[in-house]
Amino acid sequence: MFVRHAARALEQFLLTHASGRPTVLIECLGTHEKQEPDGPCGDTKTVVVTDFHFAVDVSNALLPADTYGAPVWLVADEEPAKRGRYWHQIDLDPNPPRTPANLEAGSLPLQRRAACHLEIKDGIDDAQRRKALGLPPWACVSGRTAK
């Protein structure tokens, strides 16, 4: 939970652990079921037989050397961004503000929803302001994204 709120710590963590090129493997497994006798009473049991099991390294095809090492950008949870989809999404923190009373109860994971048009426009405006001020993507420039 701490890393989510400390953007610089998260960036350093990602850069440290992303210093080596990732390996992308496709694992191929082929099986079929076979009925075998099970005991003297004529009972049968189903056994899964592995026909083949191998892995193919496709790292070079998916991660060419000239594109590896692209910069890692972080944005605030409330910032509209393409988080694995083709549309802008926002992460919402369903947990109440951190107080000693509710820290014992645990926390819920972030909830993700599609951003509305106004949120996307505000996000673009914030990004332009940050760029004009020379600030990193995770810097807060409006009251809307401040916690």
Side-chain angles (χ1 to χ4, degrees):
M1 293 304 276
F2 171 75
V3 174
R4 192 180 87 225
H5 296 291
R8 291 189 190 274
L10 178 58
E11 179 189 27
Q12 189 58 46
F13 173 83
L14 292 174
L15 292 174
T16 300
H17 292 282
S19 60
R21 186 177 172 161
T23 301
V24 181
L25 300 173
I26 296 178
E27 186 176 16
C28 302
L29 173 65
T31 63
H32 70 274
E33 293 181 350
K34 178 177 167 183
Q35 299 290 329
E36 290 186 350
D38 187 29
C41 299
D43 295 333
T44 60
K45 66 178 180 178
T46 303
V47 178
V48 176
V49 178
T50 301
D51 298 315
F52 58 87
H53 187 193
F54 61 92
V56 178
D57 184 354
V58 294
S59 302
N60 290 336
L62 297 178
L63 303 168
D66 58 343
T67 60
Y68 186 70
V72 175
W73 295 105
L74 305 172
V75 295
D77 294 337
E78 302 83 11
E79 181 90 17
K82 295 182 179 180
R83 294 176 162 91
R85 302 282 184 211
Y86 290 110
W87 56 89
H88 289 86
Q89 296 176 304
I90 293 177
D91 284 339
L92 302 172
D93 190 354
N95 303 302
R98 308 273 187 247
T99 63
N102 65 18
L103 282 177
E104 301 275 331
S107 60
L108 298 170
L110 291 175
Q111 297 172 350
R112 186 166 288 169
R113 68 168 177 79
C116 70
H117 294 291
L118 181 59
E119 290 169 328
I120 293 171
K121 181 188 176 304
D122 287 346
I124 292 169
D125 292 344
D126 287 350
Q128 290 172 345
R129 267 188 242 116
R130 277 193 301 272
K131 186 174 182 179
L133 295 171
L135 296 173
W138 58 85
C140 178
V141 292
S142 72
R144 181 187 54 78
T145 58
K147 280 199 169 194

